[in-house]
Amino acid sequence: MNFLHLTPEEQALLDGAEGPGVQRAMEIVVTLGRIYGAGALVPIASAHISGVSYKNLGEAGLEFLRRWADEGARARVDAWLNPMGMEAARWRELGFSADFAEPQLAVIEAFRRMGLKPLLTCTPYLLPGHVPRRGQHLAWAESSAVAFANSVLGARTNREGGPSALAAAIVGRTADYGYHLDENRRATHVVEVSCPLRTVADFGALGRIVGRQVEGGVVYFADLARWLPPLPQDITRGGEAVDRLKTLGASLAAYGAVALFHIAGYTPEAADAGETLLRAEAQRLIVNSSDIETAYAAMNDAEVQDIDLVSIGCPHASLAEIAQVADFVRGWRLRTRLWVTTARHTREQAAAEGWVRIIEEAGGRVVADTCTVVAPLRALGIRSLATNAAKTACYAPSHSGVQVRFGTLEQCLQAALSGRWDG
C-alpha cells in the first residue's frame, strides 16, 4: 500500500491552519487518497460539482452546504456547477412552484458563498476560455463531462462525487490515483463497429450497448473515426463531431460507468500511442446493426403515443444543436412543449444569433441552468417525453417517473410539431 505524502503546506491545511472549512475539505481529499493508494496529491486546474438540484439534495444536503460555507470554505480554483432543478430567472414562467424554487435558490446561494461560479451546465468544456488542455488534472463530478474531458481532450480526472469535487475545489488539489495515472488509462476493451452511425442518437445507442457490457472499463474504439468528421479547432460552438462525442460519453457513463474511451487515430492518446494503449488481456466486442436496433427498442416505451414534452440537450445543447432546432421549427407552431436545455452563456450566444427567438416564436423554450433529468417533471404535469439523448432515456423513467420515446433529432422535433410520436 502506498504511503500518501503531503507537502508541508498540505499538512498545514489538514491540521486546520486555514480554518475548519478547508480542514474538512482536506480530510475528504486525503481520506480518498489513502483509500485508493495514492502516493501524493496533484494540483487541479478546475473543478466541476454535481449534486446541485434540490430534487436530489433535499433539506439535508442544503444544510450540509450551508454549514460548509459558514466554516469559511472557499474555492481556490475555477469551479462550476452542474444543472439545478429549474431555471433561475424564469422558474415561474416554466411552471415551477415556490416550494421548490426557494430552497433551490438557497442551494445556489450556499455554493456562491463558497466562491463557485453560477454557471450551471453539464458541459463545462464548452465554456469559452476554459477548455481543459491535454494532461491537465481536474476534479470533475458530472459523468458525461468526465468522459469528454478524459477522452476527447486528454485531460485527467476521476469520476468524482459531488462532495469530493467540492472538497478538491476548496483545497485546489486531488489525490493522484485512477485516471490521473498513465497505467490506468490503458484500454480494457476493444470495440469494432460494423455498421453505419449517422446521427447523434446512433452514438447514444452505441454508448448504451458498450456501457452495459464493459461497465467501468476503458474502451478503445478501433474503427469509429470513419463516422466522425475532424474536431473543430474551437469546440465551444459544438458541431457534428463534438455533439456525437458528448452524447457517446454521456451514454457510456450512464449505462455503464465509463470515464475514458479512446478512438483509434482520432482522440489524443490513441492518435499518439495507437494499440500500445491496449492491455494484453483486453476483451474484444463487435457491434452490428441489429445491436443498434435492439438498443433503440430498449430505450423506447412502445405504449407512448402522446408526448407531453420534447427534450433536447442532455448533455446541454451546443450552439450548433440550437441552430439545428431553430432551422427545423422556423415558421411552424408546436403542438406540445419543447425544451432545449443549455448553459446560460450558450443561450446568450444563441439569442444573439436569433435562434432563441425563432424557437420561442414556434412555442418552444430554450431553457438554461437545468435539464430534464434533474427537474421535477411530474410536478409540471409531464408524464411522457421524447428525446434524442440516450442519457435522458436512461434516467428519466427512474428519476422522474416519466415514459420515454427515443429517436433522432428530426423524429423528436416532428413529435413537437404533431404532439405525437410517429417514429
Side-chain angles (χ1 to χ4, degrees):
M1 181 175 180
N2 290 350
F3 176 77
L4 179 61
H5 171 75
L6 300 180
T7 66
E9 179 188 358
E10 291 164 350
Q11 186 63 54
L13 298 181
L14 184 62
D15 292 340
E18 294 191 15
V22 177
Q23 184 179 33
R24 180 199 295 266
M26 198 65 175
E27 288 170 350
I28 292 172
V29 171
V30 167
T31 298
L32 286 171
R34 288 173 176 160
I35 289 171
Y36 290 104
L41 307 184
V42 291
I44 59 169
S46 65
H48 185 247
I49 288 80
S50 63
V52 178
S53 174
Y54 184 72
K55 172 186 170 184
N56 298 331
L57 282 171
E59 197 62 25
L62 172 56
E63 288 307 311
F64 173 80
L65 293 172
R66 281 172 164 164
R67 285 198 307 272
W68 213 348
D70 289 343
E71 291 172 342
R74 301 292 183 271
R76 61 184 73 201
V77 297
D78 281 342
W80 307 283
L81 298 172
N82 226 23
M84 62 174 166
M86 63 182 198
E87 181 175 331
R90 296 196 298 174
W91 57 268
R92 288 185 182 87
E93 176 187 332
L94 293 168
F96 292 88
S97 71
D99 289 342
F100 182 83
E102 290 171 3
Q104 178 64 89
L105 292 173
V107 168
I108 302 307
E109 174 60 16
F111 280 122
R112 188 198 63 77
R113 288 173 56 205
M114 287 187 275
L116 275 78
K117 299 178 180 179
L119 298 169
L120 295 107
T121 180
C122 50
T123 56
Y125 47 85
L126 298 183
L127 291 169
H130 296 286
V131 181
R133 298 193 304 273
R134 181 174 179 178
Q136 278 188 323
H137 295 280
L138 317 172
W140 285 14
E142 159 57 37
S143 62
S144 67
V146 166
F148 194 96
N150 274 329
S151 310
V152 182
L153 303 177
R156 299 190 169 211
T157 178
N158 289 318
R159 187 167 163 167
E160 300 279 356
S164 68
L166 180 54
I170 293 165
V171 299
R173 298 159 171 82
T174 192
D176 193 20
Y177 70 93
Y179 296 113
H180 295 281
L181 304 175
D182 288 344
E183 59 265 30
N184 295 323
R185 298 177 70 85
R186 297 176 64 203
T188 60
H189 294 77
V190 179
V191 177
E192 297 176 14
V193 181
S194 66
C195 58
L197 299 174
R198 295 193 172 95
T199 67
V200 163
D202 286 350
F203 276 74
L206 174 65
R208 183 188 191 277
I209 296 161
V210 176
R212 286 166 59 88
Q213 293 193 59
V214 309
E215 298 179 339
V218 177
V219 181
Y220 183 94
F221 288 103
D223 52 3
L224 196 58
R226 59 183 170 152
W227 303 113
L228 288 162
L231 274 172
Q233 186 171 4
D234 176 12
I235 70 163
T236 62
R237 295 182 66 88
E240 188 175 351
V242 173
D243 298 331
R244 291 181 177 194
L245 290 169
K246 71 183 175 71
T247 294
L248 174 62
S251 184
L252 287 166
Y255 287 100
V258 176
L260 170 62
F261 62 88
H262 304 289
I263 300 175
Y266 193 92
T267 53
E269 288 159 270
D272 289 350
E275 292 199 0
T276 62
L277 276 175
L278 307 184
R279 296 183 185 274
E281 69 279 13
Q283 301 177 43
R284 293 187 176 266
L285 306 172
I286 298 176
V287 176
N288 58 39
S289 58
S290 65
D291 297 321
I292 298 292
E293 291 169 6
T294 299
Y296 267 86
M299 289 186 280
N300 264 281
D301 189 327
E303 296 180 358
V304 176
Q305 296 300 322
D306 294 328
I307 301 297
D308 296 329
L309 172 70
V310 174
S311 173
I312 307 299
C314 179
H316 269 170
S318 68
L319 274 174
E321 288 174 302
I322 295 172
Q324 286 180 278
V325 175
D327 187 58
F328 193 98
V329 304
R330 186 190 306 268
W332 292 92
R333 189 68 189 171
L334 306 182
R335 297 286 296 274
T336 195
R337 280 179 279 193
L338 165 66
W339 282 12
V340 183
T341 52
T342 192
R344 200 179 309 169
H345 78 280
T346 304
R347 187 176 66 186
E348 290 170 357
Q349 291 175 287
E353 299 281 358
W355 300 325
V356 172
R357 176 184 54 78
I358 292 168
I359 292 168
E360 301 204 341
E361 283 179 351
R365 291 288 182 270
V366 181
V367 182
D369 303 332
T370 189
C371 80
T372 50
V373 170
V374 297
L377 295 183
R378 289 185 68 85
L380 302 177
I382 295 166
R383 300 293 183 269
S384 62
L385 66 79
T387 185
N388 68 335
K391 180 175 180 177
T392 299
C394 178
Y395 289 132
S398 58
H399 282 43
S400 302
V402 299
Q403 297 173 289
V404 174
R405 280 290 194 171
F406 173 79
T408 66
L409 177 65
E410 291 75 15
Q411 288 174 309
C412 292
L413 294 177
Q414 188 60 49
L417 292 177
S418 68
R420 291 179 56 81
W421 186 261
D422 298 321

